[in-house]
Amino acid sequence: MKTLFSLLALAVIAQSAVLVDKSATARNNINIGAVYPGDRLLSRSYVYKPAIANTIQYEDFIYRGNASTRISAILATEQGYYTQRPSIWIRSGGLGYPNVTLSVQSLRGYGYYYLIDIWGR
């Protein structure tokens, strides 16, 4: 009986060790479009806000190209070893347009740090 109980306890421990919360390690990045031959890097920028206690921080990143430029790819990658779980989304413009506005928002009490690349021709 003791052997059966210890085997059952080991099975429960092993099963609980396998379960991992992947949502806690997921990053909210934007990878839209593709970089084709002939495209060039139109803009590379970092947006950064350090954590402030009990504060939600936000920022709009605006890229304005000239009228003949068309965006072919938007890459926004969260930097750093640990994620702070910020949100980033396209507010206006985007692929095929000469401009784009990206909105970045942190969780309450956290910050954000993104590398934003805009590709086009």
Side-chain angles (χ1 to χ4, degrees):
M1 190 64 153
K2 285 184 179 181
T3 308
L4 179 64
F5 180 71
S6 62
L7 286 176
L8 183 60
L10 285 175
V12 169
I13 291 170
Q15 180 67 20
S16 65
V18 172
L19 298 176
V20 176
D21 185 14
K22 298 211 183 243
S23 65
T25 60
R27 292 180 180 256
N28 188 6
N29 295 330
I30 291 180
N31 295 314
I32 297 176
V35 179
Y36 298 104
D39 285 355
R40 59 193 169 139
L41 184 61
L42 301 174
S43 172
R44 171 170 278 178
S45 301
Y46 290 92
V47 291
Y48 171 74
K49 293 265 177 122
I52 299 175
N54 204 27
T55 303
I56 296 174
Q57 302 179 79
Y58 57 91
E59 178 178 352
D60 284 343
F61 170 81
I62 301 171
Y63 169 77
R64 292 185 182 107
N66 59 20
S68 63
T69 302
R70 295 291 177 244
I71 295 172
S72 63
I74 302 168
L75 309 170
T77 309
E78 187 182 5
Q79 302 296 296
Y81 186 71
Y82 294 107
T83 182
Q84 296 189 48
R85 298 188 310 267
S87 298
I88 187 166
W89 66 93
I90 296 176
R91 178 166 290 205
S92 66
L95 299 182
Y97 290 93
N99 55 14
V100 65
T101 302
L102 299 172
S103 294
V104 185
Q105 181 177 340
S106 70
L107 289 177
R108 182 177 303 278
Y110 288 88
Y112 54 82
Y113 185 28
Y114 274 100
L115 168 64
I116 300 174
D117 288 339
I118 310 291
W119 290 84
R121 57 173 66 199

